[in-house]
Structure formats: C-alpha cells, structure tokens
Amino acid sequence: MIRVRFIGVDGATREVDAQPGARLLDVAQADGQPLEGTCEGQMACSTCHIIVAAEDFARLPPASENEEDLLDLAAHATRTSRLACQIVLEEALDGLTVRIPGESRDMRGR
C-alpha cells in the first residue's frame, strides 16, 4: 500500500492508503476530495489541479508538455502544481503529500 496525505481547502489533513498503480485522481475522488476531474484524465481541463508538497515534488516523474500547458491555465498554480490525473502511484511515492487548491478552472468552458 501507498500512503497519501491530502491537505484540504480548510487545512484538514487526511491520510489514505492506495494500491500501487492507482491514479491519484481516482484515490482523491474515492476519499471525497473536491477534485472534479471533468475530462476524466484526458488532459483537456485543469479541474484535478493539486499542489504537491515541495519535499515530495522531485519524486514525481516530470510533467509532459501538455500537462505543463494546462497547468499554466490552472487557478492558483505554483511551481509544484500537477494534475492528479497524470500521477500514477508507485512505491517510490509512499508518503506523498498534496494540497487541494481552493479553486479550479475548467478550460473547456463548462
């Protein structure tokens, strides 16, 4: 199991266990985190924007150019922002901490 820590909009922290190979967006939604994921992982929106803890960011594989382009449009993006739909959990990410931003923006206009 891989432990993931979510820091909610209100600052509340929740820790959940996830299976290796699970997509972070699916884990977050199963835990009730307010990540919409409007495009269902097709990288057509930024409604699953998360902010990865600085100390964990280097453990992630680099974002693709398409993901970077969408993050440029995400509300309140930071240098450690990622799209949860693009993070597949693996053992090396055990203990990952992510913050849920207070706002998301659906670039498809919905």
Side-chain angles (χ1 to χ4, degrees):
M1 293 300 250
I2 298 166
R3 173 118 333 198
V4 178
R5 179 178 302 111
F6 293 107
I7 302 172
V9 175
D10 62 358
T13 301
R14 288 184 47 84
E15 291 189 4
V16 299
D17 290 326
Q19 294 291 329
R23 203 170 51 152
L24 184 58
L25 174 59
D26 298 329
V27 172
Q29 288 176 332
D31 186 53
Q33 298 298 326
L35 292 180
E36 191 172 330
T38 303
C39 74
E40 298 178 357
Q42 301 303 306
M43 283 206 316
C45 72
S46 61
T47 61
C48 68
H49 166 230
I50 55 162
I51 300 169
V52 177
E55 61 272 15
D56 293 334
F57 189 74
R59 295 194 288 152
L60 296 172
S64 69
E65 187 175 329
N66 288 343
E67 182 179 358
E68 291 286 350
D69 288 346
L70 284 171
L71 287 168
D72 286 342
L73 303 171
H76 307 291
T78 72
R79 69 172 192 79
T80 63
S81 289
R82 292 294 301 267
L83 298 179
C85 69
Q86 298 303 300
I87 298 173
V88 176
L89 297 172
E90 53 189 49
E91 295 293 334
L93 296 177
D94 186 44
L96 180 70
T97 298
V98 299
R99 184 166 54 85
I100 308 299
E103 167 183 354
S104 68
R105 191 175 299 148
D106 186 349
M107 300 317 298
R108 297 180 310 160
R110 293 187 180 168

